[in-house]
Amino acid sequence: MSPSLTAEEFLRSITLIPDIDQLLGHFTSKFAEMFAADSIYLVLLEPVTNRYVIRRTKGGKPSLVGRFGFLRTDNLIKWLNVNRRPLNVGIQGEVVSFLDAAEQKLLADASIQVVIPLIVINRLTGVLFVGRDNNKRRYSSEEESMMQSLVSQSALAIEYAMIYQFQEDKLKRLFHADKMMTVGELAAGAAHEIRNPLAAIRSTVQYLKKDLAGEKSKLADGIIEEVDRIDKIIKGLLSFSRISELHMEPLELNLVLEQTISLLDLEIKKHNIELVRDFRLADSRIKGDGAQLKQVFLNILLNGIQAMESSGCLSIITAESADQSGAIEVSVLDTGPGIPQAELARVFDPFYTTKENGTGLGLSISYGIISRHGGEIQIKNGADQKKRGTCVTITLPRDSTKGQ
């Protein structure tokens, strides 16, 4: 173990960082320094997909990062869940032979010497993989014990940082909901006042156009197109108000998603997108407005397709809500470039767009529709270190009248 950093200093530095991304970066960097590790791979439980996904790496081979993803049912996860202690790959050969072939190959390819579970309140919240070149000495039992001690105490700090981030996100959503309500009230009052003179402008230009020719006629067509574009924006603004009533009825959410996907069949083929359906619920019954929910899913799926340009993978997952509220979560994951971290807080703001001809109202309207259904919508970048891809998660309550 490196003498440059003591265990006490390591733990003290961990507890002083509230930001989860900074904390994970500091944790992996200092852990690798303390134990002279050539590579560190940290995976954490992702509640949306119920998988253990890579969250941070230090050193190692970039080509291996995508392989560090595990299900609760994988043999390695099951062994760590039951035994709650490190796995020394070189010494515990009988345990390694229990793992499936893909897990054994991953450990070998990444030169993993020790696999350490992160346990918080009797839950396996993550796994730390420590790699060291095979030509170097293996870690001693004392070093392995020190690793487990530091990881066990750090796991709680990581959990606290994730909870802190969740609370911050919750507060931001409350502020955003209040802002959207204000926008809706202003839009409802202003939109009608704008649309009346706009209709007069359009009809007047159309009347004058019949006496125009050549370039002047084209200019008139351009004015009409711009008037129609303004009218489209106004219609979007009206969607922020409560003028458009919800027509609630029992719906199968899986069916709503399938119907929406069918509308995008040509776009999916055009962009060479691989579509993955992972509908984990046989019963996806909710109460909602089918037409408005299709509008939400159409907008989100189309955003994902367009983000990937010429190829990629679009995954749609339906599952029980991670907070055990009984609600249904729909997650849409793409493999595009993701959203700049500084811009994430603005994605639901009216008129915010990265598209050249976009109005910036699609996600804002989607936010309002989901809120009026009693649900929530969140957008995050991918879980890997480079934040690639985007994950949109929509939570909707189940139909409370089911079975009555």
Side-chain angles (χ1 to χ4, degrees):
M1 189 170 73
S2 170
S4 61
L5 186 70
T6 68
E8 184 180 351
E9 290 171 335
F10 176 87
L11 292 172
R12 185 167 59 247
S13 66
I14 289 293
T15 58
L16 294 175
I17 306 173
D19 180 82
I20 184 63
D21 289 321
Q22 291 180 14
L23 173 59
L24 297 182
H26 181 83
F27 170 76
T28 52
S29 178
K30 294 303 180 183
F31 194 94
E33 177 187 333
M34 282 189 70
F35 294 97
D38 295 313
S39 59
I40 296 285
Y41 302 88
L42 176 63
V43 303
L44 296 177
L45 180 63
E46 167 55 59
V48 173
T49 60
N50 211 28
R51 288 172 56 91
Y52 291 88
V53 298
I54 193 78
R55 284 296 302 265
R56 189 65 58 171
T57 63
K58 176 69 176 177
K61 303 173 184 177
S63 60
L64 296 176
V65 170
R67 292 165 58 185
F68 280 89
F70 303 90
L71 298 172
R72 287 179 179 272
T73 54
D74 288 342
N75 286 349
L76 178 59
I77 299 300
K78 288 195 291 187
W79 188 89
L80 292 170
N81 244 323
V82 170
N83 292 274
R84 308 297 172 94
R85 59 187 174 88
L87 166 61
N88 191 311
V89 176
I91 296 175
Q92 296 171 272
E94 74 287 355
V95 177
V96 175
S97 64
F98 163 75
L99 307 180
D100 65 37
E103 291 171 326
Q104 292 183 39
K105 189 172 188 312
L106 176 60
L107 295 179
D109 290 346
S111 301
I112 300 300
Q113 281 202 19
V114 183
V115 182
I116 309 167
L118 278 72
I119 306 293
V120 177
I121 317 178
N122 211 32
R123 294 183 302 114
L124 181 67
T125 60
V127 184
L128 185 72
F129 296 83
V130 183
R132 195 181 237 183
D133 288 347
N134 293 327
N135 60 351
K136 295 182 179 179
R137 71 170 182 83
R138 305 203 69 84
Y139 288 112
S140 66
S141 58
E142 290 79 10
E143 288 173 313
E144 183 183 314
S145 177
M146 175 64 77
M147 286 181 182
Q148 178 64 80
S149 175
L150 291 177
V151 168
S152 295
Q153 295 177 74
S154 300
L156 194 58
I158 292 171
E159 183 83 350
Y160 282 152
M162 294 182 75
I163 292 171
Y164 177 79
Q165 183 188 49
F166 174 80
Q167 294 296 344
E168 271 203 330
D169 291 344
K170 196 83 171 176
L171 189 60
K172 287 176 183 175
R173 290 199 297 273
L174 287 173
F175 279 127
H176 188 80
D178 182 66
K179 179 168 63 177
M180 296 295 287
M181 187 179 297
T182 303
V183 171
E185 291 171 355
L186 291 172
H192 293 292
E193 295 299 322
I194 297 172
R195 293 185 82 183
N196 288 335
L198 202 63
I201 293 170
R202 193 184 196 284
S203 60
T204 301
V205 173
Q206 280 184 317
Y207 177 77
L208 294 174
K209 181 178 178 291
K210 64 183 181 181
D211 297 325
L212 302 174
E215 285 298 317
K216 291 182 179 181
S217 179
K218 290 180 180 178
L219 287 172
D221 286 335
I223 292 172
I224 292 171
E225 286 178 10
E226 289 303 305
V227 167
D228 289 341
R229 192 164 73 90
I230 295 170
D231 189 59
K232 182 180 177 182
I233 292 172
I234 292 170
K235 286 179 180 176
L237 283 171
L238 284 171
S239 297
F240 290 120
S241 70
R242 297 183 179 272
I243 294 171
S244 180
E245 294 296 330
L246 293 177
H247 300 286
M248 305 291 277
E249 59 182 347
L251 299 169
E252 278 291 340
L253 195 54
N254 288 347
L255 180 59
V256 173
L257 286 166
E258 287 288 4
Q259 291 170 343
T260 308
I261 291 167
S262 67
L263 297 174
L264 291 168
D265 187 55
L266 288 177
E267 283 292 317
I268 290 169
K269 291 176 180 175
K270 175 183 170 184
H271 289 81
N272 193 29
I273 301 298
E274 177 192 357
L275 183 70
V276 176
R277 296 173 178 84
D278 187 1
F279 295 167
R280 301 174 184 174
L281 299 175
D283 178 10
S284 62
R285 192 178 176 88
I286 64 166
K287 202 164 188 176
D289 186 316
Q292 294 199 32
L293 288 176
K294 283 179 190 175
Q295 180 184 350
V296 171
F297 293 130
L298 192 67
N299 181 62
I300 290 168
L301 292 173
L302 193 57
N303 282 349
I305 291 169
Q306 293 172 346
M308 294 182 283
E309 296 181 355
S310 59
S311 65
C313 179
L314 188 68
S315 302
I316 306 167
I317 303 167
T318 59
E320 292 284 352
S321 175
D323 62 8
Q324 300 180 337
S325 64
I328 298 177
E329 281 185 353
V330 180
S331 300
V332 179
L333 301 91
D334 67 58
T335 55
I339 301 169
Q341 198 66 26
E343 303 295 313
L344 271 175
R346 299 182 56 206
V347 292
F348 293 115
D349 287 355
F351 305 111
Y352 171 78
T353 181
T354 57
K355 300 176 184 176
E356 185 177 343
N357 297 314
T359 63
L361 295 174
L363 285 175
S364 297
I365 291 169
S366 298
Y367 187 99
I369 291 172
I370 296 301
S371 294
R372 289 161 58 202
H373 275 79
E376 291 186 350
I377 178 170
Q378 299 179 58
I379 297 184
K380 294 183 178 180
N381 279 319
D384 70 358
Q385 187 173 350
K386 294 185 179 179
K387 301 293 182 186
R388 289 168 295 200
T390 305
C391 176
V392 182
T393 305
I394 293 173
T395 307
L396 290 165
R398 283 188 178 275
D399 182 3
S400 59
T401 63
K402 183 176 65 174
Q404 294 183 6

